[in-house]
Amino acid sequence: MPETAAPGPASGPALVPPSGTVHWIGAGLSTGSGLAALCGAADRVRLWHRTEERAGRALAALGLAGRAEPRAYTLEALTAELAPGDVVVSMLPAPEHTGLLAACVAGRAHFACSSYVSDAVLDQVPAATAAGVVVLTEAGLDPGIDHLFAHDLIARARAEIGADTAAEVSLTSYCGGVPAVPNDFRYRFSWAPAGVLGALRSPARYIEAGAETTAPRPWEATRPHEVDGETFEVYPNRDSVPFVGQYGLPPAWKPQTFVRGTLRLAGWSEAWQPVFTQLVGGDDRSIADLARDLAARYPTTDADRDRVVLAVTFEVRGGSGHRWSGRYLLDLEGEAQESAMARCVSGMLAVGVGAILRGTLPPGLNRAAETPERSEEWLAQLAGEGIEFTLRVGD
């Protein structure tokens, strides 16, 4: 189904027409070929980094010298160049999205990121909607591509089983960035260690055996998980329960298992025991020191290669004997030119920003693709960009 222009809200201003200019903020580990894709889709792209020199070096490393304009980032400098209809892509840590989004709303510019929706961002959505501004979030790998997989699987199951058929359902969605060649630490940092430790310190809520369950320390719920004959370790992450509604499960379908979580190499939980001990007994200051120590001891270098594994499985068991199961699997290894993580995160962001540039997303909050139709479109675009994945339906 082709994309159509997004309508404005029922009351208030219509969608601010896209200007064709994209401001990409940050050139860290997750910036990759998606930026190159936008250089072909947008009229003008500016890469904002700590200094103009570092932005220029990043563009050269990506083969984009002369195709995008380097800029030295400060919020004030960005605001001075922001025009209505521009698109701001934030690759900064999630706490910095609040100020960026406020600048976008004030300047009537659109906003995109790969992070989960924070309360601070959510608070600004009404103002963004009224201003005709698109707020695209959760448009990365996890969250992001996992949403597309889940929406598509559930739509396929609805078509096969019927939304009114009483059934028990199971959804598991596990994702992880791991070293392509296993190391003693059983991990490769693809984002800031402080963020990794922060996620581990956050309780996880999910559905197991038909009941809501909370793991105060997510790693204590680690269990084996097999994917195509390879055994990994998985544990729940953040709060899975709201996604029952976000994914549009029919009321007649009762979740028995519903877990969105993190995937690690076998042996990870044993290798990380010293880290867990410090997480249990540490305060914010000691955890910050631990993050710096881990960054120094396990640096990400140009010589190592990463691997991204995302496995989303959905099963339906109806009381009248109806059965349906499907699974999406993305399993990519990084290359010398680009890590698998950067390829997936920036590639997904580029697809979402492309939709903003075409004016096909509505004003207000958009969490990646929130409909089966748009999920199908965006999955096709990802495949066209060379991000390979497989779909298996049935046993």
Side-chain angles (χ1 to χ4, degrees), residues 260-275:
R260 299 178 72 257
T262 301
L263 177 145
R264 297 287 181 248
L265 292 176
W268 169 81
S269 56
E270 180 178 356
W272 275 57
Q273 281 302 320
V275 175

Side-chain angles (χ1 to χ4, degrees), residues 4-362:
T4 57
S11 60
L15 176 74
V16 176
S19 68
T21 295
V22 173
H23 303 267
W24 188 284
I25 318 297
L29 294 176
S30 293
T31 294
S33 55
L35 180 58
L38 287 177
C39 286
D43 297 331
R44 170 181 287 179
V45 175
R46 295 178 178 131
L47 176 64
W48 298 77
H49 205 24
R50 291 187 180 92
T51 66
E52 185 172 331
E53 179 185 7
R54 293 185 69 171
R57 289 203 304 265
L59 289 173
L62 292 166
L64 299 176
R67 298 183 61 192
E69 304 168 13
R71 291 288 194 275
Y73 174 72
T74 65
L75 185 56
E76 293 76 14
L78 170 70
T79 301
E81 294 201 35
L82 208 55
D86 286 1
V87 184
V88 171
V89 182
S90 177
M91 303 299 286
L92 300 179
E96 297 191 44
H97 293 164
T98 307
L100 271 176
L101 179 54
C104 288
V105 174
R108 302 186 69 223
H110 307 295
F111 175 85
C113 71
S114 61
S115 302
Y116 285 100
V117 183
S118 67
D119 290 340
V121 166
L122 201 59
D123 288 344
Q124 298 188 63
V125 168
T129 305
V133 167
V134 175
V135 181
L136 174 63
T137 65
E138 300 182 13
L141 170 63
D142 172 12
I145 298 177
D146 58 338
H147 291 344
L148 308 189
F149 287 171
H151 278 296
D152 189 73
L153 289 172
I154 292 168
R156 291 173 183 272
R158 286 173 67 111
E160 182 70 23
I161 299 295
D164 295 330
T165 301
E168 295 182 344
V169 302
S170 169
L171 183 140
T172 59
S173 179
Y174 293 115
C175 183
V178 300
V181 178
N183 54 21
D184 290 342
F185 196 48
R186 316 303 286 177
Y187 189 67
R188 177 188 186 274
F189 285 106
S190 55
W191 56 309
V196 176
L197 298 182
L200 282 170
R201 297 176 75 193
S202 301
R205 190 166 69 119
Y206 55 102
I207 296 175
E208 187 173 54
E212 290 186 12
T213 303
T214 299
R217 298 169 180 167
W219 68 85
E220 293 180 350
T222 299
R223 64 176 183 80
H225 186 71
E226 187 172 296
V227 179
D228 286 359
E230 182 176 0
T231 301
F232 296 91
E233 293 182 355
V234 295
Y235 60 90
N237 184 32
R238 298 179 181 267
D239 190 352
S240 299
V241 176
F243 290 90
V244 173
Q246 184 173 321
Y247 289 166
L249 286 181
W253 294 5
K254 303 304 179 186
Q256 293 302 299
T257 301
F258 197 99
V259 184
R260 299 178 72 257
T262 301
L263 177 145
R264 297 287 181 248
L265 292 176
W268 169 81
S269 56
E270 180 178 356
W272 275 57
Q273 281 302 320
V275 175
F276 301 151
T277 299
Q278 294 183 68
L279 289 179
V280 171
D283 55 19
D284 289 344
R285 183 172 180 177
S286 66
I287 300 305
D289 291 339
L290 173 61
R292 286 189 288 270
D293 177 59
L294 291 175
R297 289 167 57 194
Y298 303 102
T300 298
T301 70
D302 293 336
D304 59 14
R305 298 287 175 265
D306 72 328
R307 177 187 179 194
V308 164
V309 180
L310 168 60
V312 181
T313 301
F314 188 63
E315 299 176 346
V316 183
R317 301 172 298 279
S320 57
H322 292 296
R323 296 287 188 275
W324 189 91
S325 66
R327 188 202 70 180
Y328 270 106
L329 174 63
L330 183 156
D331 190 346
L332 295 179
E333 287 194 13
E335 302 172 346
Q337 298 81 8
E338 181 180 28
S339 71
M341 185 65 69
R343 186 179 180 188
C344 291
V345 173
S346 68
M348 178 63 184
L349 264 171
V351 169
V353 172
I356 297 176
L357 290 171
R358 293 189 297 276
T360 59
L361 290 184

